[in-house]
Amino acid sequence: MRRSALALALFATTSAFAAPPADLDATVAKALTEFDVPGAAIAIVEDGKTVLTKGYGVRGLEDKRPVDAQTVFDIGSVSKAFTGALVEALVDDGKMTLDDKLADRVPAFRLPDAYAAANVTVRDALTHRTGSSPNQGDLLWVVTPISRVEMLKRVRLMNMPNTFRDKFGYSNIAYAAAGEAAANAAGTSYEEALRNRIFKPLGIDSAVITSAEYEKAPNKALEHMRFGDGFSKGKMSPMPRTRLDAIAPAGSLALSAEHFSKWLTVQLADGALPDGKRLWSEARAKEMRDIHTPMGAAGQQVAALAGAPPNFIGYGLGWMVFDINGHKVATHGGATLGAYDQVLFIPDLKLGFAVATSTGEGNMTRAMVLTLLDHYLQREKKDRVAEVKAQVDKAQAAQFDRLNKIMAEHKADAKMPADADKFVGTWKGTWLGDVTIAREGDALTAKFNEATSLTGKLEPWRGDTFLVRWPDRTVGNALLTFERKPFDGSPAKMTIGALDGGASLFGGLEFRPAK
């Protein structure tokens, strides 16, 4: 009797892995509609074997051809796990170590603190503990066509708010440095090293690394985002692909559902390929999924997938690691301005899946990840599409209400300072270059000299603070504030921040009048 009961229990545990959810196609179709997503792709690997690679919807609002299993999607920061794997493969090859100093491997990269600059390692860069604030410096590659080397050189001009190795601070630019360290060790470019050491042996050589490859790709999902005024829900619209070459090791790859299935399969096999050869050793596989930096509050969104507070959450080498119901989980999301993806696998269950969507909002991706976790972990079945949609609608309504109230409070008394011409001239910046304030009729304008899409009219807000609505709608509305010297009232400093006082891509930027 005990053996029969055990056999039945084991059958019940494994039967859920017989197939993806029966209503998966219907759920995806609903999600595409509810979240205004043109196209999506899903890959599922069960017991180390591919059971689904499928595309849904169309490639874009301006390309109505259907998405299939070969359609490549921009994967954003899911690329980081590939960079982590490349580094570990080169460690196996004896060409580098995780503790190599970036000062030796990537001379262009220098942290502003002298001690940190001399001691920061490849491991520090891969595990987000360089002292950066979250996404610090990202505006540089978003709005300018800067090269990777020049971008890395500008890090020394940034004001790092955190202490080196003290806490988790997500950094795309640090990942670019880690990728360049791998290139140095391989004796070639990052792109060639990744393609030769990872893509070709894995059988995904048709995956995209560079913008040039993306433009030539015959079967790709286009990027989309909502373009609005920042105070109401915009309309989902096509957009040019996000500039990604400068931060390729952090986020430039584009993969299909078929590519993802092979990537998940090798992860679940701890680096072993179907022919018995290895991309990396078991020791390196474990090291990728070990926690190197605790994430704390930074991991709340990922931890929410567990449905209950996890016992641990931290960052490995391109993976966020936490637990669900006693199972160790490795995952990473990836967002460009116009695409959003997530990859997740549970090693001890030999289960993994990837969800890719062609908008910069992560709402559909999140709903589908939760749906698949519910199914495979035998959790209570819920309508995750409706649940996430309700959460998003509520949060957006509250955000727009807050911003519109802020606007209403300031419109009545918004006047141009009588001596506003004192602000006219060149303002010297640091890592994002200089800004020119000019008089145009009755108004002032601000123009970033290196980022010409950041040119906008200064609308009086309060005192010496102005609202700027950048024509580049990929960058949110901002408040530009001038500070004066206490004795003569002459301009002393200019800063740019978010309208609601929250986090901003402009964070940490200060400008001084040119002499």
Side-chain angles (χ1 to χ4, degrees):
M1 289 294 291
R2 287 183 179 178
R3 288 183 179 179
S4 297
L6 177 60
L8 286 172
L10 288 172
F11 177 78
T13 300
T14 58
S15 61
F17 291 83
D23 60 350
L24 180 62
D25 287 357
T27 303
V28 172
K30 178 180 178 180
L32 289 172
T33 300
E34 290 291 336
F35 298 117
D36 296 330
V37 176
I42 296 178
I44 301 176
V45 174
E46 298 177 5
D47 195 25
K49 297 180 176 61
T50 299
V51 297
L52 179 76
T53 55
K54 190 169 183 178
Y56 302 86
V58 295
R59 299 181 194 178
L61 293 176
E62 295 180 343
D63 183 350
K64 299 297 185 180
R65 289 176 292 178
V67 173
D68 58 32
Q70 293 84 39
T71 304
V72 296
F73 285 71
D74 282 319
I75 69 169
S77 288
V78 173
S79 305
K80 290 180 172 65
F82 285 85
T83 296
L86 173 61
V87 168
E88 287 285 47
L90 293 172
V91 170
D92 271 338
D93 295 344
K95 294 183 177 181
M96 66 185 304
T97 76
L98 287 175
D99 296 317
D100 286 353
K101 292 182 178 180
L102 290 180
D104 299 326
R105 290 286 187 187
V106 192
F109 182 80
R110 289 289 185 275
L111 293 174
D113 176 78
Y115 176 82
N119 290 280
V120 62
T121 64
V122 175
R123 189 192 306 269
D124 294 322
L126 289 174
T127 60
H128 301 295
R129 58 190 195 191
T130 61
S132 169
S133 61
N135 301 105
Q136 187 169 6
D138 279 359
L139 196 61
L140 189 58
W141 55 265
V142 170
V143 298
T144 74
I146 196 167
S147 70
R148 192 176 308 153
V149 171
E150 179 60 27
M151 178 187 69
L152 295 177
K153 286 180 178 178
R154 302 234 184 149
V155 169
R156 68 194 68 188
L157 303 177
M158 297 178 186
N159 179 25
M160 299 288 181
N162 300 320
T163 303
F164 175 52
R165 292 180 180 162
D166 181 55
K167 63 189 297 187
F168 181 84
Y170 194 85
S171 175
N172 287 307
I173 295 178
Y175 251 80
E180 284 301 294
N184 173 273
T188 184
S189 69
Y190 168 79
E191 290 78 6
E192 284 300 310
L194 182 64
R195 189 166 297 285
N196 292 331
R197 188 60 179 81
I198 302 295
F199 280 17
K200 287 182 178 179
L202 189 56
I204 62 169
D205 196 29
S206 58
V208 165
I209 302 177
T210 69
S211 293
E213 292 170 3
Y214 175 85
E215 293 303 322
K216 294 177 182 177
N219 186 357
K220 59 178 176 284
L222 304 177
E223 291 197 2
H224 302 81
M225 72 175 294
R226 294 188 191 277
F227 288 95
D229 60 3
F231 301 98
S232 60
K233 188 175 181 178
K235 179 182 178 181
M236 191 66 73
S237 304
M239 63 167 289
R241 191 193 192 217
T242 310
R243 290 186 178 98
L244 296 169
D245 286 340
I247 48 95
S252 76
L253 307 188
L255 271 66
S256 68
E258 288 189 353
H259 296 145
F260 273 128
S261 70
K262 293 181 179 181
W263 176 239
L264 286 164
T265 300
V266 77
Q267 290 291 339
L268 292 168
D270 292 332
L273 295 168
D275 63 4
K277 295 180 181 178
R278 283 194 161 272
L279 273 183
W280 53 80
S281 64
E282 288 187 56
R284 301 282 78 78
K286 178 180 181 299
E287 193 167 44
M288 289 184 220
R289 304 194 292 261
D290 283 343
I291 290 178
H292 296 257
T293 306
M295 291 180 66
Q300 287 181 349
Q301 185 176 3
V302 174
L305 297 173
N311 294 301
F312 58 83
I313 181 163
Y315 204 90
L317 303 179
W319 296 103
M320 298 177 186
V321 183
F322 66 109
D323 67 296
I324 302 179
N325 299 345
H327 301 292
K328 187 175 185 179
V329 179
T331 189
H332 212 293
T336 68
L337 294 174
Y340 201 103
D341 309 68
Q342 187 155 354
V343 176
L344 181 149
F345 67 100
I346 304 176
D348 67 337
L349 296 182
K350 296 295 181 183
L351 169 70
F353 52 81
V355 179
T357 59
S358 59
T359 79
E361 299 174 341
N363 306 322
M364 176 178 174
T365 302
R366 179 173 177 77
M368 296 312 305
V369 168
L370 286 167
T371 297
L372 292 171
L373 282 174
D374 289 344
H375 173 72
Y376 285 110
L377 296 179
Q378 300 181 339
R379 302 192 302 203
E380 177 187 356
K381 184 178 177 63
K382 297 181 179 180
D383 186 342
R384 295 295 194 173
V385 174
E387 177 184 87
V388 173
K389 181 68 162 55
Q391 293 170 351
V392 169
D393 287 348
K394 181 179 180 180
Q396 285 183 340
Q399 177 189 17
F400 293 138
D401 182 62
R402 182 175 68 255
L403 293 175
N404 280 296
K405 284 181 178 178
I406 292 173
M407 282 292 291
E409 290 172 358
H410 291 87
K411 277 186 176 180
D413 63 351
K415 296 179 181 179
M416 180 75 74
D419 60 349
D421 282 341
K422 287 185 176 181
F423 305 140
V424 172
T426 299
W427 289 75
K428 302 296 290 182
T430 52
W431 54 267
L432 196 57
D434 300 343
V435 174
T436 298
I437 304 296
R439 166 70 75 173
E440 293 189 8
D442 295 333
L444 296 179
T445 60
K447 177 182 178 180
F448 276 80
N449 296 350
E450 294 186 29
T452 54
S453 65
L454 295 184
T455 300
K457 177 183 176 182
L458 303 190
E459 302 177 29
W461 182 258
R462 179 173 54 191
D464 292 336
T465 296
F466 298 80
L467 172 67
V468 188
R469 308 175 200 244
W470 308 111
D472 184 345
R473 297 312 302 159
T474 61
V475 182
N477 298 325
L479 290 180
L480 188 152
T481 299
F482 296 97
E483 296 181 19
R484 299 175 185 258
K485 295 178 181 178
F487 300 107
D488 61 6
S490 61
K493 184 171 72 172
M494 182 179 74
T495 58
I496 305 176
L499 180 61
D500 62 356
S504 167
L505 286 174
F506 295 96
L509 273 177
E510 294 185 355
F511 302 85
R512 306 284 177 177
K515 295 181 180 179

